Amino acid sequence: MYDFNSLVALLLGILLTILLYVIGLKLYQRYHIDLFTPNIFGIVSLVIIMSIFRIDYAWYEPSATAINFFLKPAVVVLALPLYRRLPLLMKNKLPILLGIFSGVLVSSFSIVFFSFLGNFDMITMLSLLPKSITTPMGIEVSQSMQAIPSITVLAILITGVVGTVLAKTILSLGNIHHPIAKGVAIGTSAHVLGTTKALEIGEVEGAISGLSLALAGIISVFYLPFLAYLIRMIYKMI
Amino acid sequence: MVLAMQFGLILLIWQIGEWISLTFHLVVPGSIVGMLLLLFLLQTGILKEKYIRDAGDMFLKIISFFFIPSGVAILAHRDLIANIWIYMLIALIVSVVLVMLVSGRVTQFLIDVKGESHDV
């Protein structure tokens, strides 16, 4: 079991993570830079610190395991915002659901296409598939597909950042002007990070974006493991 | 005290979700089953929102903290993406543009066809 040193490492790792998160939170509150969210700050600064001091990831792993425990109940709690926004769905069921569904399909097809084009190995491809859904769900799907959650998280963060930056340009390019359509587009493609942007554009956009990210997540959770199964079969054959 | 009980309730629903997922050999992870279960309980009114509101909102406020280690774990898989990261980045950028365009266009089109006004 744990000797004294590894116990100290465990606590230090957790404390360091909390410290960096709080610093990130303070910076975010003061400077309001969209993309400088506390968790992006936390991840980037931890990666930089550990690279500079050549700290092996194994040192941090026990702390990671401890914090990861809360990921699963955190997913359960996502029912709450979804429950609050579900009434929004009722008046425009078909446009919203079909929009989200097409987005989920395009997301997975484009990843499969580019993975073949770039000659990524299969496990990387699978890890990239959940890149448009919210992080806690993405980690869970990634695990259930036996992919690599950290690659999934990286892909989710990049997707969120890019989606947020390009949102306004893409929406006007595509002549997507109805508030509901804007919300669906942003929530389905750029999850929580994009939703902050959607909230800036308008109240309806923000609420629909929040609804869409939750529904896109749920659809993906059922659909992606099935797709992963097919992909594994195809890889076995070739 | 109230907060602890609410938190306990969330953990309980999660565990039931894990149990369902395991027992029926679902591909859907237990946490997601727990989420759907909680949604069902709220939607049917079996569980009132106020019974988990405080702990739930507290959880949601700091939820992004819990993802940090999963992101940092990329350190352990650096070599896997070392050679492809630029292609990966391009793939992700093109993909997010496509997803946003298609999902937004589909919804916009269907709303236009329905010819409804801007009410929500």
Side-chain angles (χ1 to χ4, degrees), chain A residues 163-185:
Chain A
T164 308
V165 173
L166 298 180
K168 280 190 172 167
T169 318
I170 298 171
L171 293 178
S172 64
L173 270 178
N175 193 21
I176 297 157
H177 50 79
H178 194 285
I180 293 177
K182 284 184 184 171
V184 168

Side-chain angles (χ1 to χ4, degrees), chain A residues 113-174:
Chain A
F113 176 76
F114 283 114
S115 298
F116 274 118
L117 205 68
N119 206 12
F120 301 172
D121 54 307
M122 187 191 73
I123 208 76
T124 309
M125 184 207 289
L126 296 184
S127 308
L128 294 179
L129 283 176
K131 51 93 189 162
S132 271
I133 66 177
T134 183
T135 318
M137 285 197 198
I139 294 169
E140 287 292 90
V141 186
S142 188
Q143 274 171 354
S144 75
M145 295 188 302
Q146 281 142 8
I148 299 168
S150 65
I151 295 183
T152 306
V153 172
L154 188 71
I156 290 173
L157 292 179
I158 293 172
T159 298
V161 168
V162 174
T164 308
V165 173
L166 298 180
K168 280 190 172 167
T169 318
I170 298 171
L171 293 178
S172 64
L173 270 178

Side-chain angles (χ1 to χ4, degrees), chain B residues 15-74:
Chain B
Q15 282 304 315
I16 296 174
E18 292 288 352
W19 179 80
I20 294 174
S21 174
L22 211 67
T23 310
F24 298 98
H25 303 287
L26 303 180
V27 283
V28 181
S31 57
I32 308 272
V33 178
M35 184 195 81
L36 294 174
L37 179 64
L38 177 56
L39 185 67
F40 172 79
L41 293 174
L42 289 167
Q43 203 66 33
T44 50
I46 297 172
L47 186 73
K48 295 261 188 301
E49 188 187 334
K50 64 178 180 194
Y51 293 133
I52 56 148
R53 188 188 293 146
D54 299 330
D57 281 338
M58 211 177 80
F59 224 137
L60 289 170
K61 224 165 137 185
I62 54 165
I63 195 167
S64 71
F65 167 75
F66 302 115
F67 318 154
I68 293 177
S70 308
V72 178
I74 199 68

Side-chain angles (χ1 to χ4, degrees), chain A residues 31 55 69 84 96 107 132 146 149 153 161 191 196 210 221 230:
Chain A
Y31 298 106
I55 301 169
F69 168 81
R84 288 170 182 160
I96 294 176
S107 172
S132 271
Q146 281 142 8
V153 172
V161 168
H191 54 93
T196 337
V221 160
L230 285 180

Side-chain angles (χ1 to χ4, degrees), chain A residues 190-221:
Chain A
H191 54 93
V192 184
L193 271 176
T195 300
T196 337
K197 191 82 198 169
L199 274 166
E200 262 170 49
I201 300 176
E203 206 179 312
V204 178
E205 286 87 338
I208 295 285
S209 178
L211 173 75
S212 305
L213 81 91
L215 293 176
I218 293 175
I219 295 171
S220 303
V221 160

Side-chain angles (χ1 to χ4, degrees), chain A residues 17-18 21 38-39 42-43 46-47 50-51 57 60 64 67-84 86 88 91-92 94-96 98-100 102-103 106-107 110-111 114 118 120-121 123-124 128 131-132 135-137 139-141 144 148-151 153-155 158-159 162-163 166-167 170-171 174-181 184-186 188-190 204 208 218 221-222 225, chain B residues 7 9-15 17-18 26-45 47-50 52-78 80-81 83-112 114 116-120:
Chain A
T17 314
I18 295 176
Y21 180 79
N39 81 321
I43 293 170
L46 261 171
V47 166
M50 287 172 69
S51 301
Y57 177 72
Y60 184 68
I67 298 172
N68 282 342
F69 168 81
F70 292 95
L71 267 177
K72 289 163 190 286
V75 171
V76 176
V77 174
L78 291 177
L80 205 52
L82 177 56
Y83 166 72
R84 288 170 182 160
L86 217 47
L88 290 170
K91 268 200 172 170
N92 288 286
L94 206 64
I96 294 176
L98 285 180
I100 296 170
S102 60
V106 169
S107 172
S110 59
I111 287 303
F114 283 114
F120 301 172
D121 54 307
I123 208 76
T124 309
L128 294 179
K131 51 93 189 162
S132 271
T135 318
M137 285 197 198
I139 294 169
E140 287 292 90
V141 186
S144 75
I148 299 168
S150 65
I151 295 183
V153 172
L154 188 71
I158 293 172
T159 298
V162 174
L166 298 180
I170 298 171
L171 293 178
N175 193 21
I176 297 157
H177 50 79
H178 194 285
I180 293 177
V184 168
I186 297 175
T188 308
S189 61
V204 178
I208 295 285
I218 293 175
V221 160
F222 284 89
Chain B
F7 191 69
L9 194 58
I10 293 168
L11 290 181
L12 178 71
I13 294 172
W14 164 43
Q15 282 304 315
E18 292 288 352
L26 303 180
V27 283
V28 181
S31 57
I32 308 272
V33 178
M35 184 195 81
L36 294 174
L37 179 64
L38 177 56
L39 185 67
F40 172 79
L41 293 174
L42 289 167
Q43 203 66 33
T44 50
L47 186 73
K48 295 261 188 301
E49 188 187 334
K50 64 178 180 194
I52 56 148
R53 188 188 293 146
D54 299 330
D57 281 338
M58 211 177 80
F59 224 137
L60 289 170
K61 224 165 137 185
I62 54 165
I63 195 167
S64 71
F65 167 75
F66 302 115
F67 318 154
I68 293 177
S70 308
V72 178
I74 199 68
L75 281 172
H77 301 287
R78 261 183 298 202
L80 206 59
I81 52 168
N83 296 321
I84 56 157
W85 69 271
I86 187 78
Y87 302 105
M88 211 178 99
L89 190 65
I90 294 169
L92 290 172
I93 293 173
V94 177
S95 179
V96 72
V97 172
L98 289 177
V99 174
M100 202 178 278
L101 270 178
V102 172
S103 58
R105 238 4 278 173
V106 167
T107 305
Q108 180 73 52
F109 173 76
L110 291 170
I111 288 173
D112 289 345
K114 250 170 77 180
E116 260 195 2
S117 56
H118 280 227
D119 69 338
V120 183

